[in-house]
Amino acid sequence: MAQEDVFKKIVAHCKEYGFVFPSSEIYDGLGAVYDYGQLGVEMKNNIKTYWWQSMVLLHNNIVGIDSSIFMHPTIWKASGHVDAFNDPLIDNRDSKKRYRADVLIEDQIAKYDEKIEKEIAKARKRFGDSFDEEKYRATSANVLEHTAKRDALHERFKKAMNDGDLAELKQIILDEEIVCPISGTRNWTDVRQFNLMFSTEMGSTADSNMKIYLRPETAQGIFVNYLNVQKTGRMKIPFGIAQIGKAFRNEIVARQFIFRMREFEQMEMQFFIKPGTELDWFAKWKKTRMAWHQALGFGADHYRFHDHDKLAHYANAATDIEFLMPFGFKEVEGIHSRTNFDLSQHEKYSGKSIKYFDPETNESYTPYVIETSIGVDRMFLSIMCASYEEQALENGETRTVLHLPAPLAPVKLAILPLVKKDGLPELAHSIQDELKFHFNCQYDEKDSIGKRYRRQDAIGTPYCVTVDHQSLEDNTVTLRNRDTMEQQRVNIADLCGILSDTVSITSILKTL
Ligand code: GAP
């Protein structure tokens, strides 16, 4: 099945089973805004718990905060968002559609990459076992031609972005003959800058109203609370502050479901360090964050680092952790070495000293910062994409199964009485009453046992227990594993222990 079709199925599946709904759907929806349903919210909470505990529980020197969405407007002037949080946009005059110029060019680069990979795949098929990919890449005329074009375009694009040269971005679009996907024409406007912050007004009279912004990142709430936390928590450098919360961006190109939203959630951690140690800490956090992702068990081939070509003027290193989505490798998390830019700016704009006095060296300095910033919704989407499978069974049926990592699954255990009589529902309910304090359990007595298993597979429930007549005699049940579909007879009294070992967040934290 084409990857595009797989993605459509995942989106439909999310809606059908109560994971994600379009926002305001009965009013025909609101662009790039989504609601999480009854199962989606459970899984999202599990993702957040996994992240929060890996930061705050596992590190003695990381604490959390929860700052407001509304903040003093000068914060956004100091951070640079008022002047520079822009995307270069371009309109197609025929379709009247608006695009991000940088995204159009990145898509064009990806097309060259696709051409190269197609050539390689064709040659691999032709030459079989004797195929030497490295040699082919270095000698095939077609591959060399595509690679040269790709690299030249990449260099030109990088320079235009670094220089903020909007005219050059338009020229690249024209030279590459990039067409609007809707109208198919090259009738483009000039490229313009567009600020991504939403604004509103605070106050009760027109005269005293103050223009404020919905925060486009949670990080600034951490920076402006740095002194409060450092002093009240008696924190010593190096230390970190973590936060999970909503962020808002008026994205021009909002597409690919919950990948790019106008209201989304971030999990950010700012790690405050001594100047000069930042590149070591950057390397450490890269490793720690990649391990966090890979502990989910989807395989190392699903992830890669993408080092930034264009560094923000205040950063001295930056990388993305990318995940293999059905539409290619895409950024899920950013790790940035932000120097002392943010704290210095807040020092300048607020007039308050934000220095750290190091008792060991007797010096004062403005700390440097390593930031790890991950989108909850993108994480959610990556897990859904990697977990979704349509399996052809031996009996000719198709089983749709979500292989969710058990600690993140919304429901951990389904409790199913074989029949709705003979005291089986009562025993099943008593098992749920016992286990509900530990895990999210679902009771289901409707339809055949096979159909009930399918329903649980489709929502990613790692285990089902079936209560049958034997259960009444010897207090055992069958425990069915979602992925292997194997069943084993276990004592009811052992269920809690067996499950804890695999479905709790603690079980995955212990592997880090
Ligand atoms: N404080 C740094 C910062 O905000 P960013 O790269 O702009 O950095 C960090 O965003 C992460 O937030 C991204 O890697 C992505 O997972 C998530 N994110 C950013 N914009 C998003 C959007 N419009 N919709 C969903 N997630 C988004």
Side-chain angles (χ1 to χ4, degrees), residues 247-264:
F248 305 83
R249 294 181 190 180
N250 196 2
E251 298 282 0
I252 303 157
V253 183
R255 60 179 184 186
Q256 283 148 341
F257 190 38
I258 55 174
F259 182 78
R260 197 176 298 286
M261 300 156 89
R262 296 198 166 103
E263 173 179 341
F264 57 100

Side-chain angles (χ1 to χ4, degrees), residues 46-59:
N46 291 338
I47 294 171
K48 291 194 270 185
T49 306
Y50 175 40
W51 183 86
W52 186 264
Q53 297 198 346
S54 75
M55 288 290 178
V56 176
L57 214 65
L58 300 195
H59 294 93

Side-chain angles (χ1 to χ4, degrees), residues 217 249 251 259 261 264 266 268 331-332 371 373 375:
E217 62 170 15
R249 294 181 190 180
E251 298 282 0
F259 182 78
M261 300 156 89
F264 57 100
Q266 287 186 315
E268 299 201 292
E331 172 192 344
V332 172
E371 161 182 82
S373 173

Side-chain angles (χ1 to χ4, degrees), residues 69-306:
I69 287 171
F70 292 152
M71 295 197 275
H72 195 285
T74 310
I75 288 173
W76 303 111
K77 189 78 190 150
S79 68
H81 285 81
V82 170
D83 297 321
F85 193 50
N86 300 319
D87 273 344
L89 69 84
I90 188 166
D91 291 3
N92 182 270
R93 290 197 186 92
D94 299 321
S95 67
K96 311 267 180 280
K97 287 276 168 203
R98 182 162 288 176
Y99 300 91
R100 268 176 59 180
D102 55 332
V103 171
L104 286 178
I105 299 171
E106 276 168 3
D107 286 351
Q108 181 73 359
I109 294 174
K111 276 188 191 149
Y112 285 119
D113 283 334
E114 268 167 37
K115 281 185 190 166
I116 295 166
E117 292 317 311
K118 261 192 196 147
E119 290 285 342
I120 303 279
K122 254 190 342 204
R124 183 175 292 115
K125 214 166 164 192
R126 188 151 26 104
F127 295 115
D129 287 344
S130 61
F131 181 57
D132 180 343
E133 183 176 327
E134 206 177 319
K135 191 168 162 202
Y136 194 78
R137 278 186 192 273
T139 53
S140 153
N142 283 349
V143 172
L144 287 174
E145 189 189 327
H146 295 319
T147 309
K149 281 189 182 159
R150 182 213 176 277
D151 291 349
L153 172 58
H154 188 232
E155 277 308 307
R156 197 175 162 197
F157 171 55
K158 196 168 92 177
K159 183 166 182 329
M161 289 297 283
N162 273 328
D163 296 348
D165 188 343
L166 302 183
E168 171 69 351
L169 285 178
K170 177 172 179 185
Q171 199 52 51
I172 294 176
I173 289 171
L174 295 178
D175 292 351
E176 287 289 322
E177 303 187 344
I178 295 173
V179 296
C180 163
I182 309 282
S183 66
T185 71
R186 284 180 242 144
N187 193 4
W188 297 110
T189 62
D190 286 343
V191 177
R192 282 167 296 139
Q193 292 289 21
F194 175 79
N195 192 285
L196 298 183
M197 283 198 294
F198 285 102
S199 64
T200 184
E201 288 188 354
M202 186 179 261
S204 53
T205 60
D207 294 344
S208 66
N209 278 1
M210 187 200 281
K211 181 177 177 185
I212 54 168
Y213 299 98
L214 298 192
R215 65 181 179 198
E217 62 170 15
T218 59
Q220 296 304 323
I222 294 180
F223 289 123
V224 297
N225 276 293
Y226 161 80
L227 266 188
N228 285 335
V229 175
Q230 193 270 317
K231 291 218 151 69
T232 58
R234 291 182 293 118
M235 307 301 291
K236 284 208 171 70
I237 276 181
F239 75 91
I241 305 179
Q243 166 157 243
I244 299 178
K246 288 267 179 150
F248 305 83
R249 294 181 190 180
N250 196 2
E251 298 282 0
I252 303 157
V253 183
R255 60 179 184 186
Q256 283 148 341
F257 190 38
I258 55 174
F259 182 78
R260 197 176 298 286
M261 300 156 89
R262 296 198 166 103
E263 173 179 341
F264 57 100
E265 211 163 356
Q266 287 186 315
M267 307 189 281
E268 299 201 292
M269 196 278 299
Q270 316 297 131
F271 199 69
F272 300 93
I273 52 174
K274 191 173 174 183
T277 63
E278 68 272 17
L279 292 183
D280 282 348
W281 281 111
F282 179 70
K284 274 189 198 138
W285 278 109
K286 268 178 83 170
K287 207 164 148 214
T288 306
R289 294 305 303 147
M290 186 57 106
W292 183 90
H293 284 277
Q294 293 193 0
L296 293 175
F298 293 122
D301 56 343
H302 279 71
Y303 304 88
R304 72 179 187 196
F305 285 114
H306 171 246

